[in-house]
Amino acid sequence: MLVYDNYGKFIQAASAASALREASAAMRTRCDALRESALRAKALSERTQERLSARREVVEQLRGVRGLIGKLSASLRSAPALEALANASAATATEGEDARTTIAEYVEAKEVLDALGAEGSDAIAFVRAKKRCDAAMEKIVAVLKARARASAIGGDEDDGASKSAFGMSDEVCLELLSALKVSQDELVDDFLMSRKKKLDDAIEASRKSFAELASTPVSERNLKDFMSALNQSFLGEFSNASEAFKKLFSNVNSARNALVKFTKDAFGEYFAFIREIYAPHVDKTDMIAASSSADLLNPKQLMCAMGTMAADLASVHRSVPEAALGDRAVETIERAVRSRVGAAFMCLERDLVRELDATYVAAKAVSAAAANRASGADAATSKSLLHRFIALSDTLLTSVQTLLSDVESLMDERPILISSWREEFAYAVRGHFASLIHALVSRLIVGSPIAPNPAPNPTPLRTPLAVAVDEARESSSKTPPPPSFLLVCARMCAFLHTSATKHIADALTKMFPASSAMGGSFSLDETRAMCESASHVLLMWYVEQSAQRISFMIRKSLTAVDWSKAREPREVRPLADYIADDLATIENECAQVLDVGEIDSGDGSTSFVADGAFTPVRSTQSSVMCAVIKRAVKSYVECVRCQTFHTKFAFQQVSLDVRYLAERVLFRFMPSGQFESDVYERRAIEILLKELRSACELRACDPTPMDKAVGDRILEKI
């Protein structure tokens, strides 16, 4: 049933298969025919290739000759066109585009002319054409260079050269010169030289403006406005020059290097002028020539001006980063800040030198009044040493406070300007203060035979205090300083030890906490130890000088008498009165400068008694007076031991003098007993007086004492 039902379909399928078989056979027959045709065409092509291969080189040469003929024709035609262009007047000049086309055609034909028209060439026509083209091109290049030079030097100003530039713009002239391979280095140099002159003129005008501004007080000067005016003229001129340069010489290979060099040179003058105005002391070899405190620039205005400079230079730095203007600006700011701080320290040192000189003069007056024993002079100078010490210490503290305020203003006004070198700035300020203290101590101890330990190490620079030290050393070698001046210097060193250095160190620690934690050149412990040692050295020097002066009188008094001819004593010799006057002078000087104070007795009575006359001296009135008395009595003892008292009258005279000295003279200057250490001092003096009496007895041939009643009557008459 299935076969019967689909029988029609089977018949159609059989018919379609038979038709497909017949079509396939016909297609195979056609493909065979086409294969035979392709084989015949291949054979024909191979035979043709074989025939043409021998003639291919000739065909290609003919093709090149055709192009060369075109170039030769253009080369020969360029000579008349160039001559016409070179000889054209300004009124009948070719239009700019035509002139540009003519020169461009010559550039294309130049290679052929150079190859075929060289000297010795057989192509006579090309030789003549090359000579005509070269002569005409020399004129055209001269016109183009004149136009470019006039544009470079004169900027946008128009002159005669612009009218004879064949109607072409500056850019086209420079483009054609570049195409003609004409060197533009000369044009670049002319351009930069002309613009450098304009920048120099801008700085010179600003310098004249500042000269007028300098006649006004420093407090009335507006440094920020002056910096703004300077930048407006100088940086504006530089920006115009930079833009014009980039526009004119953008295709010149060496132009960038020339622009960078020009920028460095121009801003070298700019930064030098800024340092001249805002950092006038940084290049001075003689630091004494720094401005006075009244001429110092206001720190806030200075930092405002430096901030204005840095902000205005930012755009120029981005335009020419190779010139490193940012780094040079930071360097200039650093030098200006350092100059301001250095000048402030110079002013501080000058103030201290002035006060020290005044103190020296006052000390000489005190010494002269004491030598003359003039009551009026004593009254006039009774407090002069105290006044000078107060003035000296007040000058130091006030000037230091002002200087620290200036330093704080320099840091706080524009903190970003010193952020990159803040630590170096902190070390510099601390170093300045360390040098100041060392230089001041060096001046105070000038002439001292003993150096403090640790010894001061002042800066080798020629600062006011350094100069004062040299002058004082030269003067002290001829005339020793007055003893009262040593006393003021000792008190000043003690003040530095107890108050001033700690105040400065605390202020620096508060101002620069990081640098303090990392260390620095200002060491509080070492500085205080140096000041304390210097104070002790000066006190010892004062005590030794005073004691030596009394000892000299004692020695002369004993050696000037022929004790073998001594008579019965009727009065006390003047020696004790001389000692009393000298001790009164010492007491007056000490009372002006030193505090009464409490003496640190150390280990107690043992140290005072055992050391006798050479116990440590403290910075108090009582300690200094006792030290001088003990040394004087000890000197008296040694002078007595060098004498021989042949008669009882000689022994009685010396004994009477010693009694008067102990009971009437030294009693007035003995410690009052207000402090615990006074007991040990009195005991030491009494021991020395006992030693003196014992020495008198030992050196007497007849130690018969004077009747006590007779001695009392003699002393009562005085």
Side-chain angles (χ1 to χ4, degrees), residues 389-408:
F389 166 72
I390 293 175
L392 184 59
S393 58
D394 183 67
T395 297
L396 175 63
L397 292 181
T398 303
S399 300
V400 165
Q401 186 61 39
T402 302
L403 197 150
L404 289 173
S405 299
D406 290 351
V407 171
E408 188 174 8

Side-chain angles (χ1 to χ4, degrees), residues 407-420:
V407 171
E408 188 174 8
S409 298
L410 290 172
M411 293 191 304
D412 295 343
E413 185 63 28
R414 292 290 190 277
I416 193 173
L417 297 181
I418 64 173
S419 58
S420 61

Side-chain angles (χ1 to χ4, degrees), residues 522-635:
F522 187 85
S523 174
L524 177 60
D525 294 337
E526 293 181 2
T527 304
R528 294 187 66 189
M530 176 190 67
C531 296
E532 183 180 19
S533 177
S535 176
H536 291 165
V537 165
L538 290 170
L539 277 176
M540 288 299 300
W541 189 17
Y542 175 80
V543 168
E544 293 299 332
Q545 277 194 334
S546 302
Q548 288 175 9
R549 189 170 60 249
I550 298 175
S551 299
F552 177 78
M553 291 188 296
I554 293 173
R555 185 171 65 254
K556 286 295 184 181
S557 174
L558 291 175
T559 57
V561 177
D562 185 359
W563 295 107
S564 62
K565 298 180 181 180
R567 298 180 180 180
E568 183 179 1
R570 292 289 184 265
E571 59 182 7
V572 178
R573 294 190 306 145
L575 173 62
D577 293 332
Y578 292 148
I579 296 176
D581 292 341
D582 221 324
L583 290 177
T585 300
I586 297 171
E587 183 182 46
N588 178 46
E589 293 173 350
C590 293
Q592 292 187 51
V593 181
L594 302 179
D595 295 328
V596 177
E598 171 68 70
I599 298 178
D600 184 8
S601 59
D603 296 332
S605 60
T606 303
S607 63
F608 282 91
V609 175
D611 294 338
F614 303 104
T615 54
V617 182
R618 299 292 184 263
S619 183
T620 60
Q621 300 175 29
S622 176
S623 179
V624 172
M625 289 301 301
C626 290
V628 173
I629 291 174
K630 287 186 291 185
R631 283 163 173 77
V633 176
K634 185 65 176 178
S635 178

Side-chain angles (χ1 to χ4, degrees), residues 7 13 88 117 128 149 166 272 291 344 347 386-387 568-569 638 684 698:
Y7 180 76
R128 287 197 301 268
R149 182 177 289 107
F166 314 115
S291 300
C347 295
L386 178 61
H387 293 162
E568 183 179 1
E638 299 303 325
L698 291 174

Side-chain angles (χ1 to χ4, degrees), residues 454-468:
N457 184 27
T459 175
L461 299 178
R462 185 176 169 81
T463 63
L465 277 174
V467 173

Side-chain angles (χ1 to χ4, degrees), residues 255-580:
R256 187 65 181 180
N257 294 333
L259 178 62
V260 172
K261 184 178 183 302
F262 164 75
T263 303
K264 290 182 178 180
D265 294 342
F267 277 91
E269 298 291 336
Y270 171 79
F271 288 121
F273 176 65
I274 290 179
R275 290 195 299 271
E276 178 184 343
I277 300 301
Y278 296 96
H281 320 299
V282 73
D283 296 324
K284 289 186 179 295
T285 56
D286 187 0
M287 297 300 292
I288 303 298
S291 300
S292 64
S293 56
D295 296 333
L296 292 179
L297 300 177
N298 183 281
K300 292 186 177 181
Q301 289 195 18
L302 174 62
M303 297 309 292
C304 286
M306 293 297 102
T308 301
M309 179 196 70
D312 292 344
L313 282 177
S315 60
V316 181
H317 174 65
R318 290 191 296 268
S319 176
V320 192
E322 299 91 336
L325 297 182
D327 296 338
R328 299 184 69 179
V330 171
E331 178 186 357
T332 301
I333 294 172
E334 180 177 354
R335 297 183 74 177
V337 172
R338 288 181 181 272
S339 173
R340 175 61 175 78
V341 174
F345 274 97
M346 292 305 105
C347 295
L348 171 55
E349 290 194 14
R350 271 201 299 270
D351 293 341
L352 291 175
V353 170
R354 184 182 63 251
E355 294 298 332
L356 283 170
D357 292 342
T359 302
Y360 188 88
V361 173
K364 287 184 65 175
V366 170
S367 299
N372 296 331
R373 300 294 187 269
S375 59
D378 290 339
T381 59
S382 60
K383 294 185 178 180
S384 59
L385 296 181
L386 178 61
H387 293 162
R388 294 316 314 160
F389 166 72
I390 293 175
L392 184 59
S393 58
D394 183 67
T395 297
L396 175 63
L397 292 181
T398 303
S399 300
V400 165
Q401 186 61 39
T402 302
L403 197 150
L404 289 173
S405 299
D406 290 351
V407 171
E408 188 174 8
S409 298
L410 290 172
M411 293 191 304
D412 295 343
E413 185 63 28
R414 292 290 190 277
I416 193 173
L417 297 181
I418 64 173
S419 58
S420 61
W421 54 282
R422 185 182 180 91
E423 290 302 322
E424 291 81 356
F425 179 63
Y427 291 148
V429 174
R430 295 172 71 90
H432 274 301
F433 273 110
S435 298
L436 171 68
I437 300 300
H438 281 256
L440 179 57
V441 173
S442 297
R443 172 61 186 91
L444 295 175
I445 64 172
V446 167
S448 173
I450 306 174
N453 186 23
N457 184 27
T459 175
L461 299 178
R462 185 176 169 81
T463 63
L465 277 174
V467 173
V469 169
D470 294 338
E471 294 176 350
R473 284 174 180 170
E474 183 178 357
S475 176
S476 63
S477 63
K478 302 176 182 178
T479 305
S484 55
F485 180 71
L486 302 180
L487 206 58
V488 178
C489 292
R491 178 61 188 275
M492 189 64 193
C493 289
F495 173 72
L496 292 173
H497 164 63
T498 57
S499 302
T501 53
K502 188 176 186 304
H503 169 73
I504 293 174
D506 291 343
L508 291 176
T509 302
K510 182 180 179 181
M511 191 173 296
F512 306 109
S515 63
S516 176
M518 297 173 61
S521 57
F522 187 85
S523 174
L524 177 60
D525 294 337
E526 293 181 2
T527 304
R528 294 187 66 189
M530 176 190 67
C531 296
E532 183 180 19
S533 177
S535 176
H536 291 165
V537 165
L538 290 170
L539 277 176
M540 288 299 300
W541 189 17
Y542 175 80
V543 168
E544 293 299 332
Q545 277 194 334
S546 302
Q548 288 175 9
R549 189 170 60 249
I550 298 175
S551 299
F552 177 78
M553 291 188 296
I554 293 173
R555 185 171 65 254
K556 286 295 184 181
S557 174
L558 291 175
T559 57
V561 177
D562 185 359
W563 295 107
S564 62
K565 298 180 181 180
R567 298 180 180 180
E568 183 179 1
R570 292 289 184 265
E571 59 182 7
V572 178
R573 294 190 306 145
L575 173 62
D577 293 332
Y578 292 148
I579 296 176

